[in-house]
Amino acid sequence: MTVPLSHGLVARRSGPLSGTARVPGDKSVSHRAVMLGGLAIGETVVHGLLEGEDVLATAAAMAALGATVTTPDAPGAPWRICGVGVGGLAEPACVLDLGNSGTSARLLSGLLATAPIFSVLTGDASLTRRPMRRVTEPLSRMGAEFLTRSGDRLPMAIKGAPLPVPIDYVLPVASAQVKSAVLLAGLNTPGETTVIERTPTRDHSERMLRQFGAEIRCEPADDGGEAITIAGHPELAGRTVRVPGDISSAAFPLVAAAIVPGSEVVLQGVGLNPRRTGLIACLEEMGADLTVTPDPGAEDEPVGTLTVRGGPLVGIDVPPERTPSMIDEYPVLMVAAACAAGTTRMAGIGELRVKESDRIATMAAGLAACGVKLEVEPDAMVIHGTGRPPAGGATVATALDHRIAMSFLVLGLVADAPVAVDDAAPIATSFPGFVELMGGLGADLSAPSVPSASAAGPGGAP
Ligand code: S3P
């Protein structure tokens, strides 16, 4: 089944899902592989790169900055990147358009902040609403100059520091993007740059920087948490990178199989970095029948197989300290919570308000339109599940947010009446082949027969 993604989609109640699948490559690891490959001397060969729009935006930006990026000559073949060397980025001739991709914007800001060149970043209607102060603040301290639109938003002009200075920086928000931006800026900075994080966030940058030859230390910080220190001016050497499947994409078939009775789905080659597995912990606590089998041969990142069977779920309290390990999985966890018996409380999730959409508001509006009882607080959400499928029967506004679109399509597989999303195009940013993969497992997804008349949620029609 091939359904074009340039319009809405409808999900209908489906029979048990079954089969074995592999989700596309991890988005975070893919961005970093392209960036570090673009800085390293020699060839980097990337197997399993996510060919989603977000990563393609990073690849185009690295090419505009002087790296040689060779796209595969056949489906499934690796990407090849020849880098410019640390300190070798060329001034781009054009504005770098990063589409929907916050990771591209934040991490590239780090690279550009300590390159003595001028650049301008922009993006789509979602990305140009997202806050950049979280990166411009530490990167200004390193000597970069930024000019932004009001509210510290893109478009943003960057004048990289001609003489960068190293900093010690305590992260004010638990953000791997901010941590990574400062560490990447530290590459072209003399001396040692240190980032201190009080709550652990995904460590793909630290792992991959080390693999490319950077000198990087992770030590307990004096006042708690971890201090990550990178030594400036390393020689990065091209290498082979194997990108694991994205657990944030696996989350959709995983939750779908957990909530559709009688399902049995096996997801192979999924990245199981321990700082990304919060959703697995939640589903286990909710009573999901879930088995995790690590692959013994995994190298740079832990990888494994997830086997899940459909069955009843119960509501849980999700502790706030779990947030960074499942930051992108809350929308689909909310779908699981809507199908569970009892109340699920998700606290400490204020960061969801500055994702591709305000995910607390967008999910609350869509779930309420589907008949789910819930309460919203500034940085928390409480969902009251009844233990039976929600009513559904709504068209949900996805607000240019891929994970909102996929979450509601999962909900539609169990809801009493079909659930539609007004715009499925953003799914291509992170999960090309979503419709085909889900269809292969037995999900009933199709184009709407008539154009959607109304959409619930911020940005949607009343
Ligand atoms: C990412 C970090 C997270 C996550 C995003 C990818 C990364 O963002 O939501 O999808 O690759 O570093 P924050 O650092 O803003 O939490």
Side-chain angles (χ1 to χ4, degrees):
M1 173 179 44
T2 302
V3 179
L5 290 178
S6 57
H7 53 62
L9 274 180
V10 186
R12 291 186 170 77
R13 181 175 280 178
S14 304
L17 304 181
S18 69
T20 299
R22 275 180 187 267
V23 294
D26 187 274
K27 184 157 73 68
S28 294
V29 174
S30 295
H31 281 297
R32 287 155 173 83
V34 173
M35 288 185 205
L36 293 188
L39 279 187
I41 298 292
E43 188 178 65
T44 289
V45 180
V46 190
H47 296 270
L49 187 86
L50 169 63
E51 295 177 355
E53 288 168 3
D54 281 15
V55 176
L56 299 182
T58 288
M62 290 308 294
L65 293 164
T68 306
V69 181
T70 310
T71 54
D73 43 19
W79 285 62
R80 294 176 188 276
I81 304 162
C82 280
V84 294
V86 170
L89 292 177
E91 188 161 273
C94 300
V95 169
L96 303 176
D97 187 344
L98 306 172
N100 192 256
S101 178
T103 308
S104 310
R106 269 67 174 263
L107 270 58
L108 285 170
S109 296
L111 285 184
L112 294 166
T114 54
I117 57 175
F118 173 80
S119 54
V120 180
L121 309 185
T122 193
D124 70 4
S126 159
L127 184 55
T128 54
R129 276 197 297 268
R130 298 181 66 185
M132 292 297 143
R133 181 151 183 74
R134 53 185 55 203
V135 287
T136 60
E137 199 266 323
L139 297 174
S140 301
R141 293 200 212 171
M142 299 180 83
E145 291 177 44
F146 296 91
L147 266 182
T148 62
R149 202 159 69 87
S150 59
D152 298 291
R153 295 172 298 171
L154 301 186
M156 173 166 86
I158 308 175
K159 195 159 171 273
L163 296 171
V165 288
I167 57 170
D168 285 1
Y169 188 67
V170 182
L171 287 181
V173 281
S175 166
Q177 291 181 352
V178 180
K179 170 175 68 174
S180 302
V182 176
L183 293 175
L184 291 175
L187 284 173
N188 199 34
T189 302
E192 293 193 330
T193 297
T194 299
V195 182
I196 294 160
E197 60 178 6
R198 301 288 181 217
T199 318
T201 65
R202 64 189 71 192
D203 61 356
H204 306 300
S205 296
E206 295 91 307
R207 287 172 184 256
M208 203 183 285
L209 279 162
R210 194 173 288 123
Q211 288 145 17
F212 272 83
E215 201 185 300
I216 185 156
R217 300 193 303 278
C218 302
E219 311 162 306
D222 286 346
D223 297 322
E226 189 172 60
I228 305 122
T229 299
I230 186 160
H233 297 151
E235 263 196 28
L236 302 183
R239 69 189 307 277
T240 297
V241 179
R242 291 182 200 284
V243 181
D246 197 331
I247 191 166
S248 298
S249 297
F252 299 102
L254 189 64
V255 169
I259 61 176
V260 176
S263 297
E264 178 163 350
V265 165
V266 178
L267 299 166
Q268 295 174 326
V270 180
L272 294 175
N273 182 308
R275 296 190 183 192
R276 295 281 299 278
T277 50
L279 177 69
I280 293 178
C282 287
L283 290 174
E284 283 171 344
E285 288 169 14
M286 294 173 92
D289 183 348
L290 175 59
T291 313
V292 181
T293 314
D295 287 1
E299 291 166 17
D300 303 335
E301 291 273 351
V303 176
T305 297
L306 304 177
T307 305
V308 60
R309 293 177 196 86
L313 301 178
V314 294
I316 57 166
D317 275 357
V318 185
E321 60 275 12
R322 195 176 286 167
T323 308
S325 69
M326 54 174 296
I327 187 70
D328 292 333
E329 283 67 83
Y330 279 96
V332 79
L333 176 71
M334 291 172 191
V335 169
C339 301
T343 296
T344 295
R345 286 187 184 76
M346 290 154 272
I349 58 171
E351 271 293 297
L352 294 194
R353 294 206 181 270
V354 291
K355 295 295 177 187
E356 285 80 334
S357 69
D358 174 342
R359 286 183 174 159
I360 296 182
T362 325
M363 284 304 299
L367 288 171
C370 289
V372 177
K373 297 262 176 301
L374 56 89
E375 287 132 42
V376 169
E377 293 161 25
D379 77 340
M381 178 115 130
V382 181
I383 293 181
H384 303 287
T386 60
R388 63 165 318 282
T395 297
V396 173
T398 55
L400 284 179
D401 190 329
H402 52 138
R403 300 201 205 281
I404 301 294
M406 290 185 276
S407 296
F408 280 102
L409 291 171
V410 168
L411 182 66
L413 303 180
V414 288
D416 291 337
V419 175
V421 297
D422 66 341
D423 183 11
I427 293 173
T429 62
S430 69
F431 199 157
F434 169 79
V435 173
E436 293 76 6
L437 185 146
M438 294 298 291
L441 297 174
D444 182 348
L445 302 179
S446 59
S449 45
V450 285
S452 55
S454 69

